[in-house]
Amino acid sequence: MFLVGNPAVNPSKGTARHMWRADGAASVLGIGTANPANCVRQEDYADYYFSVTKSEHLGNLKAKLKRICHKSAIQKRYFHLTEELLNDHPELLDRTVPSLDARQGILASAVPELTAAAASKAIAEWGRPATEITHLVVSTFSGAHMPGADHRLASLLGLRPFVRRTMLYMHGCSSGSAALRMAKDIAENNHGARVLVACAELTLIMFRAPHGQANNDDELMVMQALFGDGAAAAVVGADPINSVENPDFEMISASQTTIPDTAHLAAGQFRDDGMLFHPSKELPSLVRDNIEHCMAGAFAPLGITAGGWNDLFWAVHPGGRPILDSVEAGLRLEPGKLWASRKVLSEYGNMSGPSVIFVLDELRRTLEDKDQDQEGRQEMGVVLGIGPGSPSRLWSAHWSQVGETTAWPHTARASSLRAPHRALYAHGCSSGSAALRVANDLDLAVNSHGARVLTVIPETEHPAAGRLREDGLLFHSWSAVLSDTEPENKENSNSPWGPPVSDPKLTQPRRRPSPACPYAAWAPAAGQPARPRIDAPTPFRHPLCRPAVRTPPPPAPPILSLARAFHPLLSLPPRRSPSLPRKPRRPAAAPPPRPCREHRELRSSTLVLPAELLSSFPSKSPAIDFSFPASDRRSAASPKLAGEPRPNSFSMQGALGFTYLSGLTRLAQAQVHRWNATADRRRSASSSPH
Ligand SMILES: CC(C)(COP(=O)(O)OP(=O)(O)OC[C@H]1O[C@@H](n2cnc3c(N)ncnc32)[C@H](O)[C@@H]1OP(=O)(O)O)[C@@H](O)C(=O)NCCC(=O)NCCSC(=O)/C=C/c1ccc(O)cc1
């Protein structure tokens, strides 16, 4: 659900945002980690790998894997994959048949379950109930499902249905620090927010048997020797409650730096036999040659200059021994500065995103010990993620992320942000509203002076809608709901979302008549299953789709046009015709569509909420953004400043975006129904003659 306002008539935004922001910087309030049970010692790994892949005959390759394992500085690693699982899924080893489906099937439950194990530890340490988590940021490249691992995790942990979920996919080894960076922005921008960050990676997505030809298997041997399975979670929030919450690290500043023309150096891609990662031999030298420059740029606004690196503590992503050596050399760090990263690499291997949270977990124990000794305490430190560029095509192919830095002092506060990017996948039809919500939650325009947020939702960049399979995207039983057309029309379409809106088929009469109220189709009839099935093709119409026959276009504010251009399903006024003269301000409002009374809340709506309901909300509901109408602006903005009680009612205005593929939507919908019913009752009671 996302509310938009017209800045021409709702200029109170700045005051309201100021009220809703946290006072202090975000802190890490709890950390938890988890690994699968199957542990393999690195010295045994080559024997184990060639035995389970039935490749014992490849003696030279096995000798190479032994050499690489020996040089990896890894002692042991944990794996979800076991011999039994491989026996049950022989396709995982057979390179002649696709295996993505099998991998996806296992990961659909394994990833959220391992993540839940880590997250429940983080929540227990945080000390407050899971229901008080307001935001969830989950990051993984181990599988791509819709709903994603975040949805299942929320259910496993018993989070509230209104928790704001965001999935980060394909951030590779920098995903842990990227998720923390996002959590910091959310926590600082939303008063009282408590963000659960959860990352998990299982090497099952990239495990495969050797080809048998040494040249083809070089990269495979490095992957097999390097990566391990793990999950890590952290609770992040600002303004900790003294008696309950115990912050470990305060997050001062977050930034991201990309090195141009390096997209090929740490690239990964989904294939029909799982994820393939290309670890370039140039990566260590790239890190060594660029790390100081990246750090200097990120830390200059904080007054930390090159040469002071040894005064900081370091949590560097343990990407591999040469990577850590390169960071050490590039920054001229004293030996031992990266001990925590080296320890995590040794104990677990490279777990990609979760690794950096494991490193923080190690570091904080030592910092606590040193605090007790009152010796050698370093006030400020750096979390450094090193990872691949964003998936090509979503962002310019010429840019690759190499550094992701976060500073973690215990005291000072500052803010800097440099061109960070986030890739959200598998949010399905709600991706437009999700991306806009993220931009709103992060409110970079407020958090970072001069920042401008680019929200990009290109349809063709969705690798996962329903589930990413060997044969492409699979919409599950939701297809009928998602499409504005009959299912068979979709088959002729090049786009996973069905034919474009301009398709002449859409202007022709539908084969079956729509119900009188187009929104009625969405509400399940009595005795019907809640989710319509594709094999029972009721003529569903996406409630937020614009009608096929368009009304004459009224002018729309630029922000709406922009949002609408990015998300064709967003219910916004139709596009301005280029032939119409542009009016400078206060465009005439488009007449809203008239859904029947029962379903009116499914469209843009203004709901007046009674004071009793409002008093049961947190100061900012995780489900709803309130925008104040101009008439209420003063009364809404002033009470907090004056210490007076909240106003009696808010108006919610704007388009409602629904997370169709989440069962939670129905709960949200039911809640809106209840609010409406209560409001109706109250209105009719107050208007009835005494
Ligand atoms: C343990 C290694 C593999 C070897 O140690 P070394 O000190 O370099 O030793 P050598 O130079 O003697 O190399 C040993 C052998 O390994 C081979 N090798 C050495 N790097 C290579 C090489 N990148 N290729 C292919 N053969 C090689 C090398 O050719 C040599 O082969 P041989 O002469 O036959 O023994 C070491 O190089 C190492 O840890 N490398 C991995 C570093 C690395 O790229 N880490 C990833 C960091 S970034 C990250 O984590 C991103 C994750 C990600 C995840 C998912 C995604 O989708 C996207 C991204």
Side-chain angles (χ1 to χ4, degrees), residues 393-605:
R393 287 195 299 148
L394 180 57
W395 303 89
S396 162
H398 302 297
W399 292 85
S400 166
Q401 172 194 333
V402 165
E404 167 96 42
T405 56
T406 310
W408 308 73
H410 292 259
T411 48
R413 175 154 203 271
S415 177
S416 82
L417 200 76
R418 296 196 311 144
H421 59 242
R422 300 173 175 84
L424 312 182
Y425 277 86
H427 281 257
C429 283
S430 65
S431 66
S433 48
L436 289 169
R437 170 173 56 78
V438 165
N440 173 69
D441 277 347
L442 306 184
D443 207 358
L444 298 176
V446 176
N447 270 3
S448 311
H449 179 70
R452 293 292 178 268
V453 186
L454 175 62
T455 308
V456 185
I457 306 131
E459 288 175 335
T460 51
E461 290 296 343
H462 279 274
R467 182 191 284 189
L468 183 64
R469 303 196 338 166
E470 293 133 12
D471 57 350
L473 299 165
L474 178 71
F475 289 106
H476 297 296
S477 56
W478 290 92
S479 297
V481 182
L482 291 168
S483 172
D484 197 20
T485 61
E486 300 296 338
E488 56 269 30
N489 286 347
K490 263 166 57 85
E491 289 172 14
N492 298 328
S493 163
N494 291 329
S495 159
W497 303 109
V501 183
S502 59
D503 193 308
K505 284 178 198 151
L506 290 180
T507 61
Q508 291 166 11
R510 300 160 72 88
R511 282 201 301 135
R512 294 180 190 81
S514 293
C517 171
Y519 308 99
W522 209 57
Q528 292 293 313
R531 296 179 177 194
R533 293 173 54 80
I534 195 168
D535 52 4
T538 323
F540 282 106
R541 180 180 189 78
H542 193 300
L544 299 184
C545 274
R546 292 182 302 279
V549 181
R550 297 178 185 282
T551 49
I559 177 116
L560 300 189
S561 307
L562 185 68
R564 187 177 161 281
F566 288 142
H567 196 325
L569 300 182
L570 204 61
S571 174
L572 291 172
R575 193 192 306 272
R576 166 200 284 273
S577 160
S579 59
L580 283 177
R582 178 177 287 273
K583 291 185 183 170
R585 279 290 184 197
R586 294 183 183 274
R594 295 273 309 163
C596 70
R597 178 182 166 80
E598 192 188 349
H599 302 104
R600 68 184 186 283
E601 70 280 3
L602 293 177
R603 272 281 182 178
S604 303
S605 52

Side-chain angles (χ1 to χ4, degrees), residues 64 67 71 141 173 268 275 277 279 281 317 319 321-322 350:
K64 177 161 185 155
R67 277 201 300 284
K71 294 192 165 181
F141 60 78
C173 287
M275 161 76 72
F277 171 54
K281 286 184 180 176
H317 165 59
R321 183 186 45 71
N350 177 349

Side-chain angles (χ1 to χ4, degrees), residues 64 67-69 71-73 141 170-174 206 218-222 225-227 265-269 275-284 317-323 350 352 386-388:
K64 177 161 185 155
R67 277 201 300 284
I68 293 178
C69 285
K71 294 192 165 181
S72 65
F141 60 78
M170 306 296 281
H171 281 254
C173 287
S174 59
M206 54 171 84
D218 279 1
E219 287 186 350
L220 176 64
M221 292 301 105
V222 174
L226 192 61
F227 290 105
L265 292 185
Q269 70 210 80
M275 161 76 72
L276 192 66
F277 171 54
H278 305 283
S280 167
K281 286 184 180 176
E282 294 172 48
L283 206 51
H317 165 59
R321 183 186 45 71
I323 302 286
N350 177 349
S352 303
I386 300 169

Side-chain angles (χ1 to χ4, degrees), residues 163 189 217 236 585:
V163 73
N189 191 49
D217 285 327
V236 173
R585 279 290 184 197

